[in-house]
Amino acid sequence: MSQLVQYDAEHCFHPFSNYHDLNNKGARMIERAEGIYVYDENGHEMLDAMSGLWCTNLGYSCEPLVEAATEQLKKLPYYNLFFQTTHPPAAKLSKLLAEITPEGLNHVFFTGSGSECNDTVIRMVRYYWSTLGKEDKRTIISRKNAYHGSTIAGASLGGMSAMHKQTAGVVPDIVHIDQPYGFGECEDGDLQAFGLERARQLEAKILELGEDKVAAFIAEPIQGAGGVIIPPESYWPEIQRICDKYEILLVIDEVICGFGRTGEWFASETYNIRPDLLCMAKGITSGYLPLGGVMVRDNVADVLISANSEFAHGFTYSGHPAACAVAIANINEMQSRNIIAELKETIAPYFAEKWQELSEHPLVGEARVKGMVAAIELVSDKTTNTRYKKELEVGMKCRDNCIKSGLIMRAVGDTMIVSPPLIITKKEIDLLIERAKKALDTTLDSL
Ligand SMILES: *Cc1c(COP(=O)(O)O)cnc(C)c1O
């Protein structure tokens, strides 16, 4: 253990970590990055197929983002949006976001993170219904295995059982229905029927609770942290139909899917979803500085404006000027470099084709991909899709082998997931697949 790793082990409690392991083994020290590669303190190169935590969409060397932050820090390093003040980056970015987000979303509430977006969602949804005199419309329906952040409210909205166990699932009036996880939970292989069945659980839950009690439904278009769960095509149209039929706000958490991840600016376009509230973070600044935002549809915004009372909510760093300046530069880069069009036409189809090659590997039961998110399911028998025993921790082994082969791929149980930077080239995709195959081979040999 180097001295710095030692300091870290002795003094730093990390997110989502086992402190016993961390103290014994020490953390991996990432020292620098270039393009889509990160380097540890020993100079070991790793192609970062997770874009950090689903966020460094433009890679690690985007100079205009650095310049935007630097210039803004020199001009106005901090001011807030409280009590009727604003600053140029917040004003410019809100206008820009109204332009690039789906039609009808024209107001933004800035936050510092995705979790804060979802806290804001709970506050805003309840403020909306109480303004309309419907105080009883309070319950928010979410899904098992959803990830909506790690504040108490975010974790309660989310459906991660490990988080709920650690007293996070305590915010009242939140209920969860099943997820549309085809590989894991569809028994007869009829994915479209399965998608409809899972969507109709929303209708059943609304009828069970009573329409006058249900405020909103929240979901990620594709569940990210839950294991890149890509819903069957039948799922979203049915969810939209149900939200339209009953008076339920539809909240789309695009913290991962927004800003090009699925091949459109927003996955709401990819899946033809009409969100009332849309959460953004991560890719909004390519991760260079922390920022989040909740977009609000016009009809909801009108009600909040008509309330003509103070919405008693906000964060010190809501719309931080340097973060907003980076977000503006990030959007400008995506537009001037035509990144979304390039993705749609060339990079995403190429990535999909190469990723599918992994399904031929003896360890892989399924390879799935949408835009620039993808997963493979590790199995012991691919004719029956039988899983390995949990204790074997095959996913973890595979992840460690990926790191050795120079690839950052994440394990969610025995599901391996990636979310590569949107600027990845065809050549780099080839390298990603080559390193993934090598890690799969090594993993298989060790079993
Ligand atoms: C990461 C994530 C969040 C939480 O964002 P933070 O910035 O970590 O608070 C919320 N929702 C989704 C879908 C996420 O992936």
Side-chain angles (χ1 to χ4, degrees):
M1 237 187 258
S2 73
Q3 180 153 66
L4 281 180
V5 173
Q6 188 110 26
Y7 288 164
D8 184 86
E10 283 169 7
H11 303 291
C12 186
F13 273 162
H14 293 235
F16 289 91
S17 295
N18 171 326
Y19 297 135
H20 182 263
D21 287 354
L22 203 61
N23 276 353
N24 286 334
K25 287 191 278 188
R28 192 173 313 106
M29 179 76 70
I30 303 297
E31 204 172 55
R32 64 185 188 90
E34 212 179 305
I36 66 164
Y37 302 91
V38 296
Y39 298 85
D40 71 13
E41 58 178 349
N42 303 314
H44 179 54
E45 174 198 282
M46 289 164 279
L47 190 163
D48 183 11
M50 275 310 296
S51 302
L53 278 179
W54 326 81
C55 54
T56 51
N57 288 359
L58 298 188
Y60 290 92
S61 308
C62 192
E63 199 55 42
L65 305 196
V66 179
E67 279 164 18
T70 310
E71 266 174 45
Q72 187 57 46
L73 286 170
K74 285 182 188 160
K75 198 185 272 173
L76 179 73
Y78 176 78
Y79 207 74
N80 62 77
L81 305 184
F82 281 43
F83 318 130
Q84 313 261 352
T85 56
T86 192
H87 48 65
K92 279 184 209 159
L93 179 59
S94 53
K95 169 89 169 90
L96 205 48
L97 289 170
E99 283 166 17
I100 64 162
T101 53
E103 217 187 310
L105 299 166
N106 290 306
H107 285 80
V108 62
F109 190 102
F110 286 120
T111 70
S113 70
S115 302
E116 289 176 5
C117 283
N118 288 315
D119 278 57
T120 301
V121 159
I122 297 182
R123 305 284 305 273
M124 202 176 259
V125 159
R126 291 185 177 158
Y127 184 51
Y128 170 83
W129 287 117
S130 69
T131 300
L132 290 173
K134 298 188 176 180
E135 300 279 350
D136 287 346
K137 268 175 100 65
R138 288 179 60 80
T139 299
I140 300 178
I141 301 176
S142 178
R143 304 180 302 179
K144 291 172 193 163
N145 199 36
Y147 189 78
H148 296 299
S150 193
T151 53
I152 294 274
S156 301
L157 275 178
M160 296 285 172
S161 52
M163 296 173 81
H164 283 209
K165 267 187 215 136
Q166 292 173 356
T167 68
V170 295
V171 175
D173 303 318
I174 295 172
V175 299
H176 298 81
I177 58 174
D178 287 325
Q179 56 178 338
Y181 180 21
F183 182 84
E185 298 175 8
C186 171
E187 277 162 19
D188 62 4
D190 186 347
L191 280 176
Q192 298 315 321
F194 172 75
L196 286 178
E197 184 263 308
R198 289 294 152 106
R200 285 177 188 154
Q201 283 194 16
L202 174 60
E203 188 160 36
K205 189 54 90 179
I206 293 168
L207 294 171
E208 176 196 323
L209 298 166
E211 185 184 330
D212 53 340
K213 298 281 195 304
V214 181
F217 174 65
I218 181 168
E220 303 151 83
I222 292 170
Q223 284 151 266
V228 180
I229 291 162
I230 302 169
E233 289 299 318
S234 60
Y235 184 77
W236 276 110
E238 187 65 2
I239 291 284
Q240 183 71 59
R241 180 192 70 76
I242 294 164
C243 289
D244 289 347
K245 178 167 176 190
Y246 304 94
E247 227 191 325
I248 307 298
L249 294 178
L250 179 53
V251 184
I252 300 298
D253 183 343
E254 295 229 25
V255 167
I256 286 175
C257 291
F259 293 89
R261 184 54 57 197
T262 64
E264 303 277 355
W265 275 96
F266 291 89
S268 293
E269 297 159 278
T270 307
Y271 286 109
N272 205 11
I273 308 169
R274 211 184 58 257
D276 293 302
L277 300 176
L278 184 154
C279 301
M280 312 166 291
K282 293 188 173 131
I284 192 171
T285 57
S286 279
Y288 281 43
L289 283 176
L291 182 72
V294 181
M295 295 301 300
V296 183
R297 179 165 295 281
D298 294 341
N299 56 308
V300 177
D302 288 346
V303 170
L304 303 183
I305 294 164
S306 78
N308 198 11
S309 66
E310 182 179 301
F311 182 40
H313 175 66
F315 305 103
T316 302
Y317 302 115
S318 283
H320 188 283
C324 287
V326 171
I328 294 166
N330 187 58
I331 294 167
N332 288 343
E333 276 295 288
M334 287 183 67
Q335 288 174 328
S336 65
R337 286 161 62 182
N338 252 328
I339 286 181
I340 305 251
E342 174 79 4
L343 264 187
K344 250 171 106 162
E345 281 155 34
T346 316
I347 296 299
Y350 187 74
F351 178 56
E353 184 192 319
K354 299 302 275 186
W355 188 260
Q356 284 302 339
E357 285 179 11
L358 297 178
S359 67
E360 288 155 26
H361 195 276
L363 251 186
V364 175
E366 177 181 85
R368 57 176 179 271
V369 54
K370 185 92 179 175
M372 299 305 281
V373 278
I376 47 178
E377 301 279 3
L378 305 184
V379 294
S380 62
D381 179 348
K382 63 190 288 164
T383 58
T384 56
N385 284 339
T386 310
R387 293 283 198 192
Y388 281 97
K389 285 207 188 72
K390 242 190 162 149
E391 308 85 80
L392 282 174
E393 297 196 311
V394 175
M396 279 302 165
K397 285 193 175 111
C398 184
R399 194 214 39 189
D400 291 345
N401 288 326
C402 284
I403 286 171
K404 277 183 207 139
S405 78
L407 175 66
I408 297 186
M409 176 143 84
R410 178 162 151 186
V412 179
D414 288 350
T415 309
M416 306 304 299
I417 60 177
V418 293
S419 168
L422 306 185
I423 56 155
I424 193 169
T425 62
K426 284 186 173 179
K427 252 194 162 145
E428 288 168 331
I429 290 172
D430 291 344
L431 187 63
L432 187 165
I433 300 296
E434 185 190 310
R435 291 181 179 179
K437 282 181 179 162
K438 191 170 158 203
L440 286 168
D441 287 343
T442 322
T443 306
L444 185 60
D445 288 347
S446 75
L447 287 164

